[in-house]
Amino acid sequence: MNFYNILKYWDIHDILEITRDKKIKPFTDTNNLRRHAEQQLTQQHLTLSDIEADAKKLLHELQVHQIELKMQNEALLIAQAEVEANLKRYTELYDMAPVGYLTLGRDGTIHQINLKAAKQLGLFRAQLKQQRFSIFISADSLSVFNDFLSGVFAGKTAQSCELTLLPLERCPTLIVQIEAIANDDDQTCRVILVDITERKGNEEQLELANLVYQAIGEAIMVADADNRIVTVNPAFTELTGYTLQEAVGCSTTLLKSGHQNEGFYQIMWHALETTGHWQGEIWNRRKNGETYLEWLTINTVYDDQNNVRHRVAMFSDITDQKHAEQTIWQQANFDSLTGLPNRHMFYERLAQEMKKSQRMGLPLALLFLDLDHFKDVNDTLGHGKGDLLLKEMAQRLLNCVRSTDTVARLGGDEFTIILPELHEQDSIERLAQDILCQLTKPFELAGEVAYVSVSIGITLYPEDTDNIDVLIKNADQAMYAAKDQGRNRRHYFTISMQEAALTRMRLINDLHDALAERQFRLAYQPIVELTTGAIRKAEALIRWQHPTCGLISPAEFIPVAEATGMIIDIGEWVFREAAQQTAQWRTEHYDDFQISINKSPVQFQKEGNGHLAWFDHLRELGMPGQSIVVEITEGLLMDAGALITGQLLAFRDAGIQVSLDDFGTGYSSLSYLQKFDIDYIKIDQSFTRNLSPTANDLALCEAIIVMAHKLAIKVIAEGIETQEQCDLLTAAGCDYGQGYLFSRPVSADEFNKLLVAERH
Ligand code: C2E
Ligand code: MG
Ligand code: MG
């Protein structure tokens, strides 16, 4: 049978159906087709002629269909290629996606994984297939994951959770967000894995920053580019009184106190606009109107185009701190009693003024003032009154000077005045005289009246020196010169004074070694009984044999030894040396032989119980107190407090006698003589020197002698050089004489010869 006839009666749709369903290419499985066609023909009782009539038509239709099918086939091929390309693209996308993709089984086994996820887990993909995903999950996150996975398979909706992954070595810990949805097979699920480690870190940082912002003690105010407050922190509210709600939206001038002028703000804004930064102190105002000082730091935040986005102001209240600082500064620089600059401040001002003086080419003067006998005021009226006097003194000094001058108190009763910009030196003299005059006026001290005077030393910069320390020293030296010349006066510094000071300094240095180097010796000068000529007494006088300068007079070095305190050790040496020598002469010559030892007021003041050691020493030598006479000066009695009185009485009780040296030169007060139980007075050699039968001094000497005898005090005349003087004094009733007429002060050996000679 003809193949085409068969086909004629087969519905073309059937053919297409077959080819589609059975995947049979059209016209290829002819056996089947024929069988099918024959069946149809048989059923319909058709003749072959009928069939042939339609054959041509059918053939044509078939040809058309064939072409159609061809075209459809081509379209199918194209579609298939497209699907394959899409699949490839999808696979590539899947593999290369920047997020991790996985397919997990119900038990968490990894079925599929993309490159990103494999990388996140730190392994190659091949190593990960069929691994349990849970092995990469931190212990903390494990239960979260298990619940998550069950949730995924239980519901149809996507689930998500956060996990901490612990990938293999060398890979950092990850925090991931995973999202999953079950596949239709309900055996696997698709998982997306996003690394949120950095985001989490940022979030934590932000949280921390916010915490700091909220908790920090410093007030913070953030403003926008238009200076409108954007936010403030709680410390801001606490400090200023404005809440966040009140502050936000306001201008930053909200806190302005008006204490700063426009210039201040101009400088601030200039800095902010040029550098974006400003820092400094500023007075601002709280909500309650109170002003306070703050330490303010402003920083600027810029956007990408470098436009101002925000200004961040941080500040703290430093009002109390400032007050404390000011108090400390005040205490460190000013004298609390008088309110005048203290030594520290004085030094600074002087340095400043010296610089200014140098710049301007105008000299300055430095005055050093020391009250005369201020100690007496303190001792007699008490320290309270002494303080009042110093305050009044400060006031009087301030009244004498110009506003540009500096009056300072260095301590005690020492004051200084800096006179800068001296156009004429006369002004120094005028000021000095004015001060001297002002201070002679009585001081009214709460019911008491006191009189003082002042000694002023003056030095000039740059004339005398250009060194600040030397300048101060000069003024100090000049002040001492004023004191030496009788106080209540001014004295200018001179070069010779400086030389004297230098010598004095060398003297001090050398004096330090003199005792250890055994450079001291004692000279003895006889004190002769005028009526008999007998030598039963001597005065021990110290001598310093300086290794290079030769013999130095005690008049020169004793004041230095007193000023430096070295007199204590020296005096001790004198006493022991003299006592030792006297012990010898008492045994060898006269057992009533007596030695006079000069004792400085400084020894009395500084030694305290030093006299007890003397008593012990005398006991050791087996000598009675009567073998010693202590020579003191009137000044000692003038200033005598309980300490000195006690020592003098202790001497008396021990049998040691007391002689008042240089009588007539000081205060020569009779009441002292009685009060302190003086045994001898020594008429000063200045009286003896001028003695003549007609001189006033003779009358004076006679009066002293009579008066002393009335008080049962013996009199020794010092400095007898001539027989006439000796005769006059003897006639006046003087008991003893001392002077070159009898003997100069001589060495122990020489003195011994005198004693030997006397006995024969
Ligand atoms: P002073 O206690 O008044 O001693 C008497 C001074 O007059 C001695 O001077 C003596 O050498 C001197 N002199 C004695 N006779 C004559 C004379 O006829 N004519 C003249 N022009 N002078 C005479 P010197 O030894 O230079 O002592 C001076 C002062 O030094 C003493 O005066 C005394 O105040 C002090 N001094 C001496 N030795 C010591 C000592 O060991 N300790 C203390 N603290 N002071 C001492
Ligand atoms: Mg003496
Ligand atoms: Mg004397």
Side-chain angles (χ1 to χ4, degrees):
M1 194 173 85
N2 189 307
F3 173 69
Y4 296 109
N5 285 345
I6 295 164
L7 278 183
K8 183 184 169 190
Y9 293 96
W10 193 14
D11 186 53
I12 189 70
H13 296 293
D14 291 345
I15 297 168
L16 284 173
E17 230 14 74
I18 292 164
T19 55
R20 200 176 295 137
D21 286 358
K22 308 287 181 188
K23 307 273 186 283
I24 302 167
K25 281 191 178 161
F27 309 115
T28 49
D29 196 351
T30 49
N31 289 342
N32 244 346
L33 280 176
R34 189 169 293 137
R35 219 172 19 248
H36 198 75
E38 277 170 356
Q39 272 173 7
Q40 298 262 328
L41 286 172
T42 320
Q43 283 167 12
Q44 293 172 28
H45 308 285
L46 292 172
T47 62
L48 269 175
S49 55
D50 296 332
I51 296 167
E52 277 170 359
D54 294 324
K56 272 191 180 168
K57 197 176 167 195
L58 182 62
L59 185 63
H60 176 75
E61 280 173 14
L62 274 173
Q63 279 171 338
V64 170
H65 278 298
Q66 194 175 7
I67 291 164
E68 267 176 16
L69 282 170
K70 250 188 185 171
M71 285 167 71
Q72 279 174 355
N73 199 23
E74 272 168 19
L76 271 172
L77 282 172
I78 289 168
Q80 192 181 352
E82 220 168 79
V83 166
E84 273 168 13
N86 279 344
L87 185 68
K88 192 169 171 242
R89 216 174 300 133
Y90 163 76
T91 312
E92 269 173 18
L93 276 177
Y94 175 83
D95 280 348
M96 312 303 285
V99 289
Y101 291 123
L102 299 112
T103 306
L104 296 181
R106 267 182 171 275
D107 60 352
T109 315
I110 300 171
H111 290 206
Q112 278 182 319
I113 184 161
N114 75 343
L115 286 174
K116 178 72 182 182
K119 195 175 170 203
Q120 284 168 337
L121 298 181
L123 285 175
F124 292 114
R125 275 206 287 193
Q127 296 171 299
L128 284 163
K129 287 275 172 61
Q130 299 310 314
Q131 288 280 9
R132 294 271 181 133
F133 183 62
S134 55
I135 63 168
F136 299 102
I137 297 173
S138 79
D140 297 349
S141 299
L142 213 51
S143 66
V144 177
F145 174 69
N146 290 337
D147 292 348
F148 163 80
L149 204 59
S150 341
V152 170
F153 287 105
K156 288 287 161 216
T157 50
Q159 303 280 315
S160 85
C161 74
E162 276 179 25
L163 299 174
T164 305
L165 298 188
L166 301 169
L168 288 189
E169 264 178 84
R170 282 184 288 124
C171 293
T173 304
L174 295 181
I175 301 171
V176 293
Q177 173 152 34
I178 61 171
E179 255 178 67
I181 188 159
N183 286 329
D184 291 341
D185 61 8
D186 217 19
Q187 293 307 308
T188 55
C189 64
R190 303 188 298 277
V191 181
I192 304 172
L193 194 136
V194 183
D195 182 357
I196 56 165
T197 316
E198 196 179 325
R199 197 188 81 201
K200 272 281 174 196
N202 288 345
E203 272 171 18
E204 248 169 58
Q205 289 285 321
L206 266 174
E207 213 171 292
L208 208 68
N210 188 44
L211 210 72
V212 173
Y213 176 76
Q214 295 295 329
I216 198 167
E218 299 238 275
I220 301 175
M221 176 176 85
V222 183
D224 61 16
D226 298 325
N227 300 314
R228 297 264 145 221
I229 300 172
V230 176
T231 185
V232 297
N233 71 344
F236 173 95
T237 304
E238 200 173 311
L239 203 158
T240 65
Y242 291 104
T243 63
L244 176 69
Q245 291 75 22
E246 288 168 331
V248 168
C250 291
S251 158
T252 49
T253 54
L254 178 71
L255 304 175
K256 206 167 170 176
S257 68
H259 280 221
Q260 283 82 212
N261 58 19
E262 270 316 299
F264 175 90
Y265 289 104
Q266 269 170 18
I267 292 169
M268 177 202 263
W269 278 108
H270 179 74
L272 280 176
E273 270 151 23
T274 49
T275 67
H277 177 81
W278 185 85
Q279 200 172 39
E281 286 177 5
I282 181 169
W283 281 97
N284 269 345
R285 192 184 298 281
R286 295 187 228 277
K287 189 181 170 187
N288 64 10
E290 199 178 284
T291 53
Y292 65 95
L293 187 66
E294 67 180 37
W295 177 253
L296 172 64
T297 305
I298 306 176
N299 283 306
T300 308
V301 181
Y302 299 96
D303 64 13
D304 295 342
Q305 275 76 48
N306 217 26
N307 295 318
V308 173
R309 198 161 80 187
H310 289 122
R311 301 230 195 247
V312 182
M314 264 179 85
F315 54 92
S316 49
D317 184 346
I318 56 163
T319 321
D320 291 346
Q321 186 190 327
K322 200 74 188 172
H323 280 156
E325 270 173 22
Q326 247 159 8
T327 313
I328 292 169
W329 183 81
Q330 183 79 19
Q331 281 168 355
N333 291 290
F334 289 86
D335 169 43
S336 56
L337 179 69
T338 59
L340 294 178
N342 65 7
R343 184 181 293 273
H344 180 253
M345 187 60 154
F346 155 71
Y347 199 90
E348 265 186 22
R349 292 249 178 109
L350 182 59
Q352 265 172 22
E353 293 295 357
M354 282 166 73
K355 271 193 205 142
K356 217 155 84 183
S357 160
Q358 195 187 19
R359 264 203 317 273
M360 300 174 74
L362 283 170
L364 73 74
L366 175 64
L367 277 67
F368 204 112
L369 297 88
D370 189 289
L371 279 176
D372 301 327
H373 303 304
F374 174 63
K375 195 174 166 300
D376 298 345
V377 177
N378 264 344
D379 288 350
T380 51
L381 303 179
H383 285 268
K385 300 267 163 67
D387 283 354
L388 284 178
L389 190 143
L390 290 173
K391 278 168 97 166
E392 172 67 18
M393 156 103 175
Q395 203 47 55
R396 289 192 196 180
L397 291 179
L398 285 172
N399 291 342
C400 293
V401 300
R402 303 168 296 177
S403 61
T404 47
D405 301 336
T406 298
V407 179
R409 181 181 174 217
L410 300 196
D413 57 349
E414 284 180 352
F415 293 80
T416 50
I417 300 176
I418 306 168
L419 302 179
E421 295 170 42
L422 279 179
H423 291 277
E424 36 155 17
Q425 295 213 354
D426 282 359
S427 53
I428 310 172
E429 191 56 30
R430 272 201 304 276
L431 174 71
Q433 292 310 329
D434 191 18
I435 291 172
L436 289 169
C437 170
Q438 291 302 320
L439 295 187
T440 49
K441 292 179 183 163
F443 284 80
E444 309 274 344
L445 309 173
E448 306 272 0
V449 179
Y451 292 88
V452 291
S453 60
V454 70
S455 299
I456 307 173
I458 304 167
T459 189
L460 293 171
Y461 168 86
E463 195 177 304
D464 294 334
T465 177
D466 59 0
N467 178 298
I468 184 164
D469 294 316
V470 178
L471 194 71
I472 297 170
K473 219 184 308 156
N474 286 355
D476 186 47
Q477 278 171 18
M479 184 274 292
Y480 274 109
K483 286 233 188 261
D484 283 350
Q485 288 184 353
R487 303 163 202 265
N488 191 24
R489 67 195 61 220
R490 53 104 192 100
H491 197 286
Y492 285 86
F493 173 81
T494 60
I495 293 297
S496 64
M497 277 170 54
Q498 197 175 32
E499 278 162 5
L502 227 98
T503 314
R504 189 180 133 96
M505 210 178 71
R506 286 199 200 110
L507 209 67
I508 291 172
N509 284 340
D510 295 347
L511 207 52
H512 271 292
D513 305 326
L515 255 187
E517 308 270 320
R518 303 167 75 87
Q519 291 167 4
F520 291 123
R521 288 190 285 108
L522 278 190
Y524 299 91
Q525 189 176 33
I527 297 170
V528 180
E529 199 176 0
L530 288 177
T531 46
T532 62
I535 303 174
R536 297 290 181 276
K537 302 179 196 297
E539 181 175 6
L541 294 161
I542 193 166
R543 298 288 175 262
W544 179 13
Q545 188 65 47
H546 190 279
T548 50
C549 304
L551 207 61
I552 300 179
S553 154
E556 209 173 314
F557 72 83
I558 291 290
V560 175
E562 285 177 334
T564 56
M566 283 188 271
I567 191 68
I568 307 284
D569 289 342
I570 295 173
E572 210 51 35
W573 176 84
V574 170
F575 169 72
R576 282 166 187 260
E577 181 76 13
Q580 177 76 42
Q581 186 57 65
T582 307
Q584 193 188 329
W585 287 331
R586 280 171 77 95
T587 37
E588 285 177 11
H589 303 291
Y590 303 104
D591 59 6
D592 60 346
F593 191 81
Q594 212 180 20
I595 193 88
S596 288
I597 296 168
N598 294 284
K599 190 166 181 180
S600 146
V602 179
Q603 283 173 278
F604 279 93
Q605 277 145 8
K606 291 213 172 142
E607 264 186 336
N609 283 331
H611 56 282
L612 297 178
W614 282 30
F615 301 162
D616 288 344
H617 191 68
L618 288 180
R619 259 195 299 280
E620 279 166 29
L621 292 173
M623 294 214 297
Q626 284 74 15
S627 54
I628 305 289
V629 178
V630 174
E631 291 198 10
I632 60 168
T633 49
E634 285 172 294
L636 181 76
L637 302 182
M638 262 287 290
D639 297 338
L643 180 81
I644 285 155
T645 315
Q647 288 178 69
L648 290 173
L649 293 178
F651 280 136
R652 189 196 59 192
D653 295 346
I656 292 176
Q657 293 188 307
V658 177
S659 179
L660 196 56
D661 209 348
D662 306 334
F663 190 80
T665 53
Y667 307 90
S668 310
S669 160
L670 286 178
S671 61
Y672 290 139
L673 299 179
Q674 241 176 347
K675 187 174 163 195
F676 295 104
D677 238 340
I678 302 295
D679 300 289
Y680 303 92
I681 53 176
K682 294 184 85 171
I683 296 177
D684 191 69
Q685 43 185 281
S686 56
F687 293 98
T688 315
R689 196 177 302 135
N690 301 322
L691 280 185
S692 71
T694 54
N696 279 342
D697 281 352
L698 178 61
L700 243 165
C701 284
E702 285 169 344
I704 292 172
I705 294 162
V706 171
M707 171 207 76
H709 284 167
K710 282 234 158 68
L711 297 169
I713 296 170
K714 300 255 189 248
V715 183
I716 304 166
E718 281 189 300
I720 301 178
E721 291 184 357
T722 64
Q723 193 57 51
E724 189 186 26
Q725 291 163 348
C726 181
D727 295 341
L728 286 169
L729 285 159
T730 313
C734 186
D735 305 283
Y736 299 93
Q738 185 183 347
Y740 295 168
L741 175 68
F742 311 107
S743 164
R744 287 182 173 263
V746 292
S747 69
D749 281 351
E750 291 285 315
F751 193 85
N752 196 49
K753 281 181 197 158
L754 284 177
L755 288 178
V756 171
E758 204 206 5
R759 284 174 62 188
H760 293 106

